[in-house]
Every structure is written in C-alpha cells, then in structure tokens.
Amino acid sequence: MSNKVIYAIYNDDDILMDAVKKTRAAHHHIEEVFTPFPVHGLDKAMGIAPTRLAICAFIYGLCGLSFGTWMMNFVMIQDWPQDIGGKPSFSYIDNMPAFVPIMFEETVFFAAHLMVITFYMRSKLWPFKQAENPDVRTTDDHFLMEVAVNNNEEELVSFFQKTGAVEVKVIEKH
Amino acid sequence: MYTFSSKLKTFALILMILGVLGIGYGFLTAPKDIQEVEKILAADAHEGHHEAHAVAVENSIQEAAEHKEHLEHVLHQLQNKPWAALYVACIFFMLVSMGVLAFYAIQQVAQAGWSPVLFRVMQGITAYLPVGSVIFFVFLVLCGLHFNHLFIWLDPEVVAHDKIIANKSGYLNFPFWIVRAAIFLIGWNLYRYFSRKNCLAQDESKDDSFYKKNFNISAMFLVFFIVTESIMSWDWIMSIDPHWSSTLFGWYVFASFFVSGITTICMVTLYLKSKGYLENVNTSHIHDLAKFMFGISVFWTYLWFSQFMLIWYANIPEEVTYFVTRIQLYNLPFFGAVVMNFVFPILILINTDFKRITWVLVMAGTVILFGHYIDFFNMIMPSTVGDQWFIGISEISSVFFFFGLFIFVVFTALTKAPLMPKRNPYIEESKHFHY
C-alpha cells in the first residue's frame, strides 16, 4: 500500500486558516499542520480536542499539597516533636501557619514541574529527539499542511492549488 | 437606555423600610443602664449564675466593684452594638463602590481593550459613592459628638488614662481626623464626578480630548487613592483598636473591598445582561471579570495570611491580642471568612468553563460578598462589642437598609445615561472582545 501524502505549503497564516477550513469542509483528512509560530484559532479550525493539561496540573497540585502536608506532619509533629522557640508541635493544626509556605510551594512545584513533564511526554519531546521537520522553511516563514492521499492524487493536487498554496508536493512517506 | 423595573424598585424600597425599622428596633432595645445589663446577663446565665452570685456575695467588696466594672463594660458593648452594626454596613457598601471606582480608574489608565462596554455599569455603581460618603461622614461626625463609643480615642476620659492613646493624640484627634475624612471623601467624589462628566462629554465630542482628560485625571486619582486609601484604613478601621497596628493593613482592606467591587460589577452586569440591556457584553467579558474575582480573592487571602502569620509567628504580646480576641471570641466568623473568601472561590472559579456560567458566578459572587461583609465585621466588631457580638436584627437590618439604598441609587443612576459609550477609542475593540 502506498503511503503518499500531500504537502501544501503556504506563506501566510490567513490563507492557511482559509485553506484548513476549506479542506475540512471538503472532508479531506488533515494529518498535520506545521507553522513557525502559534496561529490563533488554528486548533479550533482543525477541530482538535481541547487540552487536558490544566486538569493534570490541578491534580498534580493536590498531590503536592498532600505531600507537603504529610512531610511536615511526619517530620515536625510525629517523628520528633521538639519545642523549637515555643512553637506548638502538639498537633498539625497547632503549628499549621508555619507550614503553609512549604505547603504552598510544594503545590506550585508539583503542579508546574509534573505538568511540564506531562507535556514533554505527550508531545514526545526529549533532548536527543530526531526533528520531524518536513520542510526547513516551516520554522521560518512557511506554513505546511499535510494531507493523506487515498487514490485521489490529481483531485487533491488541484484542490490545494486552488486554496492559494505557493507549492503543492506529493511525497512518499516511509 | 435602561429603565428601572418597578419590581426592583419596590424590592429596594422594601429592603430600606425593613432596614430602618430593624435599625430603630436595635437602638430602642439597647440597654440604657447597668440594671438592664444585669437583667440581660442574668437571663443569659440562667441558673448557673445564681450559684456564682451567692459565692460572690460572700466575697469582699473588691469583687463587688469588679462586678460593677464588668457590668459597665458590658453596657458599653451592648450600647455599641446597633452603632457598630450600622457602621459595618455603612462602610462596607461605601467601600464597595470605592472598589469599583478604583477598578474603573485602573481600566482607564491601563487602556484596557475589553472593559469600555462595562464603563457605564461601573459608573452606575459608583453613583452610590456620593450618597454613601454623606451618610458615612455624618456617622463620623456623630462619633465625634459622642453619640456612641465606637472609637475609644475620641473619649477624652479614656485618653487621659491611657498613655499609649495619649501618645498618638497628635494623629488621633477629632479635628484632624474629620478633616482628613472630608478631604478623602471629597477627593474621591470629585474624581467620580468629573470622570463621568468627561465620559458623557466624549460621546458628543468630535475628537478624543475628553478621553485624554479622563486618562490624566484617572492616573492622578490612582496616586491620590493609594495614599488616601492607606490612611483611610488607619483612620476608619484600625483606629478602632488604637493599641494595635499593622503595616500591611491598608493593602489588606483594599484587597477586601476591591474584590467586592469587582464582584459587584460582575453581578450587576449579569443582571443587566439577563434583562437584555447589554447586547455587546459577551461571555468573554464575564470571563474576564470572573478571573479578576478569582485572582483578587487569592490576593486578599495572601494578605490575610501574611498579616495573621507574621503576628502569630512572632507572637509579640502587644500585637497578638488582636488575633487572640478574634480566634477565641469570633472563631467561626474569623475562619469562616477565609473559607468564604478563599476556599470557595478558588475551587469554583478555577475552572474556565465555570467562569462563563451565570448561575455559578452569581453563587460565587454572593458567597464572596457575604464573606467580605464578614471580613469587615471581623475587623470592626471585636473592639466595639467584644464577646457580645451576634448577627441579629441590628446587623441584618443595617445590611438590608444599605443594600436597598445601594440598589435604588445604582439602578436609578443607570437610567440616566446610555449603557454603551459611543466615542470611546477602545469601544469597537471592546465590542468584539473574545477570549
């Protein structure tokens, strides 16, 4: 089975947005869009589901809050309840205000770092990752839409030429 | 143009009438002398009191004197109660409209692109400021004329026997205090008056000169405001506890009424929108207001906690009594305010979708406004009525009266001008604002 895709290349984000809308309306499946910068509203036009990173961050924050609370309770109240400068270490709530800065920072630390790591994992980014750039110009000033070909090569090529593409290429993908 | 619905007008008038009746009842039932206080305390203590009384009779005359002193103390607290209830409601509603005015000035100076469609709503809410200021100023004058005992440093008898207060009398004396109050209130009202006047003139104007004028006076007002706001919080709230001081108190008070003001803008906007008067206001505007409600709620909590934790941690006797009184006698309102003003909003308003849903915002806004009323209650009551506090007829009626007055004045003002500014340079951007 051939694995052909079309690379439609644009040099303006407004034209790209129109092309994406037309492609969706014509029911061609968009595999991917490469842009040099975030194009506002592109995800909506492509019909991509909203991100759930914020929900993850909230849960990670709760984990951080729990960890901070558990740690301070174990260290300062359960394990070795010393009298340090008259601070009451009889129960957690007695000395709670002193632990709030740690609880807060743990919450932020967990929420921020675990969310970033989640982002890297979900978007498959790591230091020695092979770059997946179909065309070097897409990091500079060109926009590229990748659309799968299903035995309708000529039809697709002429379709994308009409959408204002500066270049339409058919590529055999491996 | 907005028309004041007769239903809402009747509602406001009923609130005001109920309020006046309740306030009057509160003053009439306040005890007039020690005998009445003794009766109230006896009724409160029931049978346990008789035994204690029998023991007290056997003891020395010194205890009888202490008992009398205690009765006098309670008498003062009970006499303060209707006044303090009135004061809390009076300053709360006035400062809510001040919070709106500060927010409005910030929007002007920041050249915000989203908020011009809400300027007329904000101006409508700040229309309460002149009315509230007059009532508040009269109240302060009454305090100075010894109608009540809210500010103990206004009593020369107290100052004569209290070195700490006597040392502060260079600042805390009636003439200087009332002149300061007059300057602050006049300054704020002048800004409100001219800002609205320029905004209306801008509608009919051919260029942006009135807009630029408003920009300049808003910037000047914000400088004036931040200085006077700080002093205002010492004069009108902190001086109720003249033995205590806190350096971040001004900010703390500011955060409290600022978030209440933003919440009020959101609630009034939602009301007008639901009646179909604000066709250019969309959920993105509401979302922005909700984000401010959320953010400033957290800011308030930050200051609340910073003030509390620094004093709790160092535990210096002169400072810490402020919180000892509150935690021992006002445990539920003191910590309840944190739950209402922090825990509830942070859990409800953190969600992006929730920030666009009307009923969620009305619910969160109601809790925030109640929470900040409780916050002012906590600041004022402990030193005026002490352990005799109760949210009863006096307190509820005072809130009713000022709430009714607030609705009446605000919605009357909203009928005076079109709800959409015409020639604001950012109005087009604001109409198409989406987030």
Side-chain angles (χ1 to χ4, degrees):
Chain A
M1 200 182 125
S2 79
N3 233 346
K4 279 186 180 170
V5 290
I6 282 205
Y7 283 168
I9 301 177
Y10 303 87
N11 57 8
D12 186 293
D13 48 342
D14 285 336
I15 299 170
L16 172 78
M17 283 290 281
D18 285 343
V20 166
K21 281 171 196 158
K22 278 181 205 156
T23 313
R24 290 256 299 164
H27 298 292
H28 299 305
H29 180 67
I30 303 174
E31 299 270 334
E32 199 72 75
V33 175
F34 296 85
T35 65
F37 52 78
V39 178
H40 185 73
L42 183 61
D43 53 338
K44 270 211 184 96
M46 287 172 69
I48 294 173
T51 173
R52 290 169 297 190
L53 262 186
I55 299 167
C56 289
F58 185 77
I59 293 165
Y60 298 149
L62 290 182
C63 293
L65 182 64
S66 311
F67 175 72
T69 311
W70 171 80
M71 180 178 71
M72 297 314 291
N73 183 52
F74 177 71
V75 174
M76 302 300 289
I77 309 294
Q78 303 299 331
D79 193 36
W80 197 358
Q82 276 195 104
D83 182 340
I84 303 167
K87 285 279 163 285
S89 50
F90 309 111
S91 75
Y92 191 76
I93 202 73
D94 277 336
N95 209 1
M96 207 273 260
F99 303 145
V100 166
I102 293 127
M103 289 153 71
F104 171 75
E105 293 295 347
E106 290 284 4
T107 308
V108 175
F109 179 84
F110 273 61
H113 289 82
L114 292 179
M115 178 181 72
V116 169
I117 293 168
T118 307
F119 168 72
Y120 285 153
M121 287 167 70
R122 291 291 291 152
S123 50
K124 302 191 179 70
L125 283 174
W126 62 88
F128 299 102
K129 180 189 165 73
Q130 202 66 41
E132 293 168 357
N133 211 7
D135 189 314
V136 286
R137 290 171 298 170
T138 59
T139 62
D140 183 15
D141 61 348
H142 281 66
F143 304 81
L144 186 148
M145 185 176 4
E146 181 184 319
V147 178
V149 177
N150 305 304
N151 304 323
N152 51 354
E153 199 180 309
E154 275 98 80
E155 182 204 335
L156 272 184
V157 171
S158 63
F159 173 82
F160 282 110
Q161 267 156 356
K162 268 183 257 166
T163 58
V166 289
E167 206 177 307
V168 180
K169 291 193 283 192
V170 183
I171 300 277
E172 186 86 30
K173 242 193 170 180
H174 305 293
Chain B
M1 285 295 262
Y2 171 70
T3 43
F4 198 168
S5 82
S6 63
K7 249 189 201 167
L8 192 63
K9 199 178 259 177
T10 322
F11 176 65
L13 289 173
I14 290 172
L15 277 180
M16 280 159 77
I17 292 165
L18 279 178
V20 169
L21 291 176
I23 292 167
Y25 174 80
F27 278 106
L28 288 176
T29 49
K32 274 153 213 77
D33 47 36
I34 290 181
Q35 279 74 36
E36 276 183 58
V37 174
E38 205 150 29
K39 263 183 229 156
I40 294 169
L41 288 184
D44 280 351
H46 298 298
E47 274 150 29
H49 188 76
H50 290 296
E51 283 163 38
H53 205 75
V55 177
V57 170
E58 283 169 29
N59 281 325
S60 62
I61 306 158
Q62 190 197 340
E63 280 205 7
E66 267 174 25
H67 182 63
K68 189 167 171 285
E69 212 170 86
H70 170 67
L71 287 179
E72 259 174 31
H73 183 66
V74 175
L75 173 68
H76 282 148
Q77 291 182 329
L78 287 174
Q79 282 179 335
N80 267 344
K81 203 171 162 283
W83 285 101
L86 200 60
Y87 187 69
V88 174
C90 183
I91 195 169
F92 179 69
F93 280 96
M94 185 188 70
L95 289 181
V96 164
S97 66
M98 255 334 273
V100 176
L101 193 66
F103 188 74
Y104 169 77
I106 290 169
Q107 297 299 313
Q108 298 265 358
V109 172
Q111 306 186 355
W114 66 279
S115 51
V117 292
L118 299 173
F119 279 175
R120 289 287 152 81
V121 177
M122 298 184 204
Q123 287 168 358
I125 299 170
T126 56
Y128 178 76
L129 188 63
V131 180
S133 305
V134 169
I135 300 175
F136 184 74
F137 191 76
V138 169
F139 195 101
L140 293 187
V141 171
L142 291 181
C143 293
L145 297 176
H146 308 295
F147 277 85
N148 61 54
H149 214 249
L150 293 186
F151 297 88
I152 55 166
W153 57 266
L154 277 171
D155 187 345
E157 189 75 0
V158 171
V159 179
H161 293 97
D162 193 322
K163 265 192 189 159
I164 296 172
I165 300 181
N167 279 335
K168 295 183 179 180
S169 60
Y171 183 78
L172 287 181
N173 60 74
F174 180 66
F176 189 26
W177 180 72
I178 203 75
V179 167
R180 280 199 302 269
I183 293 170
F184 301 165
L185 292 171
I186 291 169
W188 301 341
N189 277 294
L190 281 179
Y191 168 68
R192 197 211 88 84
Y193 176 76
F194 284 109
S195 176
R196 182 176 168 83
K197 203 177 150 203
N198 287 341
C199 188
L200 292 176
Q202 175 68 29
D203 271 9
E204 311 303 326
S205 154
K206 298 244 177 323
D207 56 11
D208 287 343
S209 60
F210 286 106
Y211 171 79
K212 286 175 187 161
K213 238 180 232 168
N214 254 359
F215 179 93
N216 291 335
I217 63 169
S218 299
M220 287 189 287
F221 165 73
L222 284 172
V223 175
F224 177 76
F225 171 71
I226 206 58
V227 175
T228 54
E229 190 277 330
S230 207
I231 302 173
M232 167 281 274
S233 73
W234 312 332
D235 280 6
W236 301 343
I237 302 175
M238 203 157 80
S239 81
I240 287 174
D241 297 88
H243 292 124
W244 180 79
S245 63
S246 162
T247 42
L248 60 68
F249 196 72
W251 279 107
Y252 171 68
V253 173
F254 168 70
S256 193
F257 70 78
F258 192 53
V259 67
S260 309
I262 295 166
T263 307
T264 310
I265 299 173
C266 188
M267 305 272 264
V268 175
T269 308
L270 286 172
Y271 173 79
L272 292 173
K273 176 87 186 144
S274 75
K275 297 283 169 198
Y277 285 107
L278 293 168
E279 73 272 26
N280 287 310
V281 173
N282 55 41
T283 49
S284 294
H285 295 102
I286 304 296
H287 188 163
D288 265 30
L289 283 171
K291 275 190 281 187
F292 270 108
M293 282 162 66
F294 174 77
I296 310 294
S297 281
V298 176
F299 178 63
W300 173 87
T301 316
Y302 166 66
L303 292 174
W304 180 92
F305 181 71
S306 301
Q307 180 169 278
F308 171 66
M309 195 262 228
L310 285 178
I311 289 174
W312 172 86
Y313 206 99
N315 204 21
I316 301 169
E318 293 93 65
E319 288 180 346
V320 88
T321 49
Y322 184 83
F323 288 112
V324 170
T325 327
R326 277 154 182 83
I327 290 173
Q328 284 177 356
L329 305 178
Y330 289 72
N331 199 286
L332 182 64
F334 186 68
F335 292 109
V338 183
V339 174
M340 291 171 87
N341 295 334
F342 173 64
V343 180
F344 188 77
I346 202 174
L347 292 177
I348 289 290
L349 294 178
I350 200 164
N351 189 313
T352 299
D353 298 327
F354 283 6
K355 284 193 276 255
R356 293 163 183 266
I357 302 172
T358 305
W359 69 267
V360 170
L361 287 179
V362 170
M363 181 177 67
T366 310
V367 172
I368 289 174
L369 287 174
F370 271 114
H372 285 283
Y373 170 77
I374 299 287
D375 186 30
F376 276 87
F377 187 85
N378 287 336
M379 288 193 260
I380 287 159
M381 288 297 179
S383 307
T384 49
V385 302
D387 59 352
Q388 302 298 322
W389 73 275
F390 186 66
I391 299 194
I393 290 176
S394 288
E395 286 77 7
I396 296 171
S397 318
S398 303
V399 172
F400 273 10
F401 173 73
F402 284 102
F403 185 48
L405 184 68
F406 189 82
I407 293 177
F408 189 79
V409 173
V410 168
F411 286 91
T412 309
L414 285 170
T415 61
K416 299 279 167 63
L419 289 176
M420 202 53 57
K422 261 184 249 145
R423 283 202 75 257
N424 185 297
Y426 290 95
I427 195 73
E428 273 315 304
E429 181 181 342
S430 180
K431 280 177 185 170
H432 301 289
F433 172 72
H434 76 103
Y435 165 74

PDB file of all heavy atoms in Angstrom, chain B residues 140-154:
ATOM      1  N   LEU B 140     -19.441  59.661  61.060  1.00  0.00           N
ATOM      2  CA  LEU B 140     -18.171  60.002  61.725  1.00  0.00           C
ATOM      3  C   LEU B 140     -18.353  61.213  62.629  1.00  0.00           C
ATOM      4  O   LEU B 140     -17.815  61.262  63.736  1.00  0.00           O
ATOM      5  CB  LEU B 140     -17.074  60.280  60.692  1.00  0.00           C
ATOM      6  CG  LEU B 140     -16.595  59.103  59.840  1.00  0.00           C
ATOM      7  CD1 LEU B 140     -15.393  59.527  59.000  1.00  0.00           C
ATOM      8  CD2 LEU B 140     -16.228  57.901  60.685  1.00  0.00           C
ATOM      9  N   VAL B 141     -19.142  62.206  62.145  1.00  0.00           N
ATOM     10  CA  VAL B 141     -19.374  63.400  62.965  1.00  0.00           C
ATOM     11  C   VAL B 141     -20.121  63.003  64.240  1.00  0.00           C
ATOM     12  O   VAL B 141     -19.791  63.469  65.342  1.00  0.00           O
ATOM     13  CB  VAL B 141     -20.153  64.466  62.161  1.00  0.00           C
ATOM     14  CG1 VAL B 141     -20.585  65.610  63.062  1.00  0.00           C
ATOM     15  CG2 VAL B 141     -19.302  64.986  61.022  1.00  0.00           C
ATOM     16  N   LEU B 142     -21.107  62.106  64.094  1.00  0.00           N
ATOM     17  CA  LEU B 142     -21.844  61.636  65.276  1.00  0.00           C
ATOM     18  C   LEU B 142     -20.905  60.959  66.276  1.00  0.00           C
ATOM     19  O   LEU B 142     -21.034  61.134  67.485  1.00  0.00           O
ATOM     20  CB  LEU B 142     -22.964  60.674  64.881  1.00  0.00           C
ATOM     21  CG  LEU B 142     -24.144  61.269  64.123  1.00  0.00           C
ATOM     22  CD1 LEU B 142     -25.174  60.195  63.824  1.00  0.00           C
ATOM     23  CD2 LEU B 142     -24.780  62.403  64.914  1.00  0.00           C
ATOM     24  N   CYS B 143     -19.939  60.197  65.741  1.00  0.00           N
ATOM     25  CA  CYS B 143     -18.946  59.578  66.629  1.00  0.00           C
ATOM     26  C   CYS B 143     -18.193  60.658  67.390  1.00  0.00           C
ATOM     27  O   CYS B 143     -17.962  60.544  68.591  1.00  0.00           O
ATOM     28  CB  CYS B 143     -17.935  58.760  65.824  1.00  0.00           C
ATOM     29  SG  CYS B 143     -18.636  57.320  65.054  1.00  0.00           S
ATOM     30  N   GLY B 144     -17.809  61.726  66.656  1.00  0.00           N
ATOM     31  CA  GLY B 144     -17.063  62.816  67.281  1.00  0.00           C
ATOM     32  C   GLY B 144     -17.886  63.574  68.299  1.00  0.00           C
ATOM     33  O   GLY B 144     -17.347  64.155  69.245  1.00  0.00           O
ATOM     34  N   LEU B 145     -19.211  63.588  68.123  1.00  0.00           N
ATOM     35  CA  LEU B 145     -20.085  64.292  69.064  1.00  0.00           C
ATOM     36  C   LEU B 145     -20.516  63.373  70.204  1.00  0.00           C
ATOM     37  O   LEU B 145     -21.459  63.672  70.937  1.00  0.00           O
ATOM     38  CB  LEU B 145     -21.321  64.837  68.333  1.00  0.00           C
ATOM     39  CG  LEU B 145     -21.013  65.879  67.251  1.00  0.00           C
ATOM     40  CD1 LEU B 145     -22.278  66.280  66.518  1.00  0.00           C
ATOM     41  CD2 LEU B 145     -20.346  67.109  67.852  1.00  0.00           C
ATOM     42  N   HIS B 146     -19.838  62.242  70.331  1.00  0.00           N
ATOM     43  CA  HIS B 146     -20.042  61.305  71.452  1.00  0.00           C
ATOM     44  C   HIS B 146     -21.436  60.704  71.490  1.00  0.00           C
ATOM     45  O   HIS B 146     -21.963  60.446  72.563  1.00  0.00           O
ATOM     46  CB  HIS B 146     -19.722  61.976  72.796  1.00  0.00           C
ATOM     47  CG  HIS B 146     -18.377  62.620  72.785  1.00  0.00           C
ATOM     48  ND1 HIS B 146     -17.218  61.891  72.650  1.00  0.00           N
ATOM     49  CD2 HIS B 146     -18.005  63.923  72.844  1.00  0.00           C
ATOM     50  CE1 HIS B 146     -16.180  62.728  72.641  1.00  0.00           C
ATOM     51  NE2 HIS B 146     -16.635  63.960  72.753  1.00  0.00           N
ATOM     52  N   PHE B 147     -22.034  60.485  70.328  1.00  0.00           N
ATOM     53  CA  PHE B 147     -23.295  59.751  70.323  1.00  0.00           C
ATOM     54  C   PHE B 147     -23.042  58.262  70.570  1.00  0.00           C
ATOM     55  O   PHE B 147     -23.940  57.535  70.935  1.00  0.00           O
ATOM     56  CB  PHE B 147     -24.013  59.932  68.971  1.00  0.00           C
ATOM     57  CG  PHE B 147     -24.794  61.209  68.897  1.00  0.00           C
ATOM     58  CD1 PHE B 147     -24.195  62.397  68.531  1.00  0.00           C
ATOM     59  CD2 PHE B 147     -26.144  61.213  69.228  1.00  0.00           C
ATOM     60  CE1 PHE B 147     -24.917  63.575  68.467  1.00  0.00           C
ATOM     61  CE2 PHE B 147     -26.862  62.389  69.165  1.00  0.00           C
ATOM     62  CZ  PHE B 147     -26.253  63.575  68.795  1.00  0.00           C
ATOM     63  N   ASN B 148     -21.847  57.830  70.296  1.00  0.00           N
ATOM     64  CA  ASN B 148     -21.526  56.425  70.505  1.00  0.00           C
ATOM     65  C   ASN B 148     -20.098  56.296  70.999  1.00  0.00           C
ATOM     66  O   ASN B 148     -19.389  57.290  71.160  1.00  0.00           O
ATOM     67  CB  ASN B 148     -21.732  55.633  69.206  1.00  0.00           C
ATOM     68  CG  ASN B 148     -20.836  56.145  68.109  1.00  0.00           C
ATOM     69  OD1 ASN B 148     -19.631  56.240  68.277  1.00  0.00           O
ATOM     70  ND2 ASN B 148     -21.430  56.511  66.978  1.00  0.00           N
ATOM     71  N   HIS B 149     -19.688  55.072  71.201  1.00  0.00           N
ATOM     72  CA  HIS B 149     -18.386  54.816  71.809  1.00  0.00           C
ATOM     73  C   HIS B 149     -17.588  53.857  70.951  1.00  0.00           C
ATOM     74  O   HIS B 149     -16.911  52.963  71.457  1.00  0.00           O
ATOM     75  CB  HIS B 149     -18.626  54.225  73.220  1.00  0.00           C
ATOM     76  CG  HIS B 149     -17.599  54.655  74.185  1.00  0.00           C
ATOM     77  ND1 HIS B 149     -16.670  53.798  74.700  1.00  0.00           N
ATOM     78  CD2 HIS B 149     -17.344  55.861  74.727  1.00  0.00           C
ATOM     79  CE1 HIS B 149     -15.874  54.457  75.518  1.00  0.00           C
ATOM     80  NE2 HIS B 149     -16.271  55.704  75.555  1.00  0.00           N
ATOM     81  N   LEU B 150     -17.703  54.025  69.614  1.00  0.00           N
ATOM     82  CA  LEU B 150     -17.006  53.093  68.733  1.00  0.00           C
ATOM     83  C   LEU B 150     -15.504  53.347  68.747  1.00  0.00           C
ATOM     84  O   LEU B 150     -14.701  52.430  68.805  1.00  0.00           O
ATOM     85  CB  LEU B 150     -17.515  53.234  67.290  1.00  0.00           C
ATOM     86  CG  LEU B 150     -18.940  52.818  66.993  1.00  0.00           C
ATOM     87  CD1 LEU B 150     -19.205  52.879  65.504  1.00  0.00           C
ATOM     88  CD2 LEU B 150     -19.211  51.426  67.503  1.00  0.00           C
ATOM     89  N   PHE B 151     -15.117  54.630  68.674  1.00  0.00           N
ATOM     90  CA  PHE B 151     -13.701  54.997  68.655  1.00  0.00           C
ATOM     91  C   PHE B 151     -13.352  55.469  70.056  1.00  0.00           C
ATOM     92  O   PHE B 151     -13.664  56.604  70.426  1.00  0.00           O
ATOM     93  CB  PHE B 151     -13.445  56.113  67.639  1.00  0.00           C
ATOM     94  CG  PHE B 151     -13.745  55.716  66.219  1.00  0.00           C
ATOM     95  CD1 PHE B 151     -15.020  55.863  65.683  1.00  0.00           C
ATOM     96  CD2 PHE B 151     -12.751  55.177  65.413  1.00  0.00           C
ATOM     97  CE1 PHE B 151     -15.285  55.499  64.381  1.00  0.00           C
ATOM     98  CE2 PHE B 151     -13.025  54.809  64.098  1.00  0.00           C
ATOM     99  CZ  PHE B 151     -14.290  54.968  63.585  1.00  0.00           C
ATOM    100  N   ILE B 152     -12.686  54.596  70.837  1.00  0.00           N
ATOM    101  CA  ILE B 152     -12.480  54.969  72.237  1.00  0.00           C
ATOM    102  C   ILE B 152     -11.530  56.151  72.374  1.00  0.00           C
ATOM    103  O   ILE B 152     -11.603  56.893  73.344  1.00  0.00           O
ATOM    104  CB  ILE B 152     -11.971  53.777  73.083  1.00  0.00           C
ATOM    105  CG1 ILE B 152     -10.711  53.181  72.464  1.00  0.00           C
ATOM    106  CG2 ILE B 152     -13.054  52.730  73.253  1.00  0.00           C
ATOM    107  CD1 ILE B 152     -10.011  52.251  73.428  1.00  0.00           C
ATOM    108  N   TRP B 153     -10.684  56.382  71.369  1.00  0.00           N
ATOM    109  CA  TRP B 153      -9.751  57.511  71.477  1.00  0.00           C
ATOM    110  C   TRP B 153     -10.461  58.852  71.310  1.00  0.00           C
ATOM    111  O   TRP B 153      -9.862  59.901  71.551  1.00  0.00           O
ATOM    112  CB  TRP B 153      -8.614  57.372  70.464  1.00  0.00           C
ATOM    113  CG  TRP B 153      -9.081  57.264  69.042  1.00  0.00           C
ATOM    114  CD1 TRP B 153      -9.314  56.138  68.351  1.00  0.00           C
ATOM    115  CD2 TRP B 153      -9.389  58.344  68.154  1.00  0.00           C
ATOM    116  NE1 TRP B 153      -9.757  56.422  67.086  1.00  0.00           N
ATOM    117  CE2 TRP B 153      -9.806  57.765  66.940  1.00  0.00           C
ATOM    118  CE3 TRP B 153      -9.347  59.731  68.271  1.00  0.00           C
ATOM    119  CZ2 TRP B 153     -10.185  58.533  65.847  1.00  0.00           C
ATOM    120  CZ3 TRP B 153      -9.718  60.489  67.187  1.00  0.00           C
ATOM    121  CH2 TRP B 153     -10.137  59.893  65.997  1.00  0.00           C
ATOM    122  N   LEU B 154     -11.745  58.836  70.900  1.00  0.00           N
ATOM    123  CA  LEU B 154     -12.499  60.091  70.804  1.00  0.00           C
ATOM    124  C   LEU B 154     -13.008  60.527  72.178  1.00  0.00           C
ATOM    125  O   LEU B 154     -13.527  61.626  72.325  1.00  0.00           O
ATOM    126  CB  LEU B 154     -13.689  59.906  69.858  1.00  0.00           C
ATOM    127  CG  LEU B 154     -13.398  60.051  68.363  1.00  0.00           C
ATOM    128  CD1 LEU B 154     -14.598  59.617  67.547  1.00  0.00           C
ATOM    129  CD2 LEU B 154     -13.000  61.471  68.004  1.00  0.00           C
TER     130      LEU B 154
END
